[in-house]
Amino acid sequence: DFSLNVGDRVGDLTIIGHLARGRMTELYQVWSKEHWCALTGKLVAPDFLGDDAAPLSFRREEGVLKRLQHPNIVRFYGSGVADDRPYLLLEYFAGPSLFDMLESLPKRRLHVPDAIRATMHVGAAVHYLHRQGFLYRDLKPGNVLLREGIPILVDFDVVRKIDHRRPAVLTAVRGMPVRTKCK
């Protein structure tokens, strides 16, 4: 269930559709008077409002998106607080996710040229993120939406800054460290 109905207003935003509910957020299709277009409004869910501050993951996502500009990464239009609800304004996608597209295909497989093309676009986005110092930790077909058939990476709430001072520790299935150098 969503906390807002179609037609409700949150500041200068008008709710024009329901999109999805996340762990701590609700995604709506909104009409923005400022941008004069339909966008995705990502609002903190009422259960997670408190102390006049958005949850850390929400603030982190905002900070990351402000720094990014790449053709295969969702466009960020701004953020704010309206009616005590922190929100992010993101590009709206009418098309399906890569997951939805795969589910509709026989044997859930893309043709090889299409799979290569999708991999190249998503790989370009991930490479750009790494060059900007970020690690995308939730890469899956459901987080890749299509803009006129071109894969676009969305959902940046679990992106982390890469800390080059602390090398990553690889772990095996049973939790034992994996040896990364031969002796």
Side-chain angles (χ1 to χ4, degrees), residues 1-5 8 18 21 26 28 43-46 85:
D1 257 355
F2 290 87
S3 63
L4 298 170
N5 297 311
D8 287 351
H18 297 117
R21 284 188 50 90
E26 298 174 337
Y28 296 94
L43 284 76
V44 174
R85 300 274 304 262

Side-chain angles (χ1 to χ4, degrees), residues 130-169:
H130 289 179
R131 291 190 54 147
Q132 299 303 310
F134 296 106
L135 180 65
Y136 189 88
R137 300 182 336 148
D138 198 17
L139 190 57
K140 60 186 178 185
N143 284 342
V144 177
L145 299 182
L146 302 176
R147 179 195 307 130
E148 298 175 9
I150 304 297
I152 308 298
L153 199 55
V154 300
D155 199 5
F156 285 77
D157 65 339
V158 294
V159 169
R160 297 291 187 270
K161 188 83 174 142
I162 297 171
D163 186 351
H164 296 287
R165 296 170 295 157
R166 286 181 38 197
V169 175

Side-chain angles (χ1 to χ4, degrees), residues 4 6 10 31 50 75 98 159 173 182:
L4 298 170
V6 172
V10 178
W31 182 262
R75 295 177 186 136
L98 185 55
V159 169
V173 175
C182 296

Side-chain angles (χ1 to χ4, degrees), residues 56-110:
L56 177 61
S57 63
F58 192 84
R59 293 190 317 260
R60 184 183 309 118
E61 181 174 13
E62 176 186 9
V64 169
L65 286 170
K66 283 181 177 179
R67 297 177 177 175
L68 304 177
Q69 188 171 6
H70 187 274
N72 298 111
I73 291 177
V74 63
R75 295 177 186 136
F76 178 70
Y77 282 83
S79 60
V81 177
D83 301 336
D84 299 323
R85 300 274 304 262
Y87 65 85
L88 303 177
L89 288 178
L90 308 168
E91 173 180 11
Y92 171 71
F93 294 92
S97 69
L98 185 55
F99 177 83
D100 296 332
M101 183 175 30
L102 289 169
E103 286 292 309
S104 71
L105 295 173
K107 297 184 181 180
R108 297 172 48 192
R109 293 187 181 155
L110 289 171

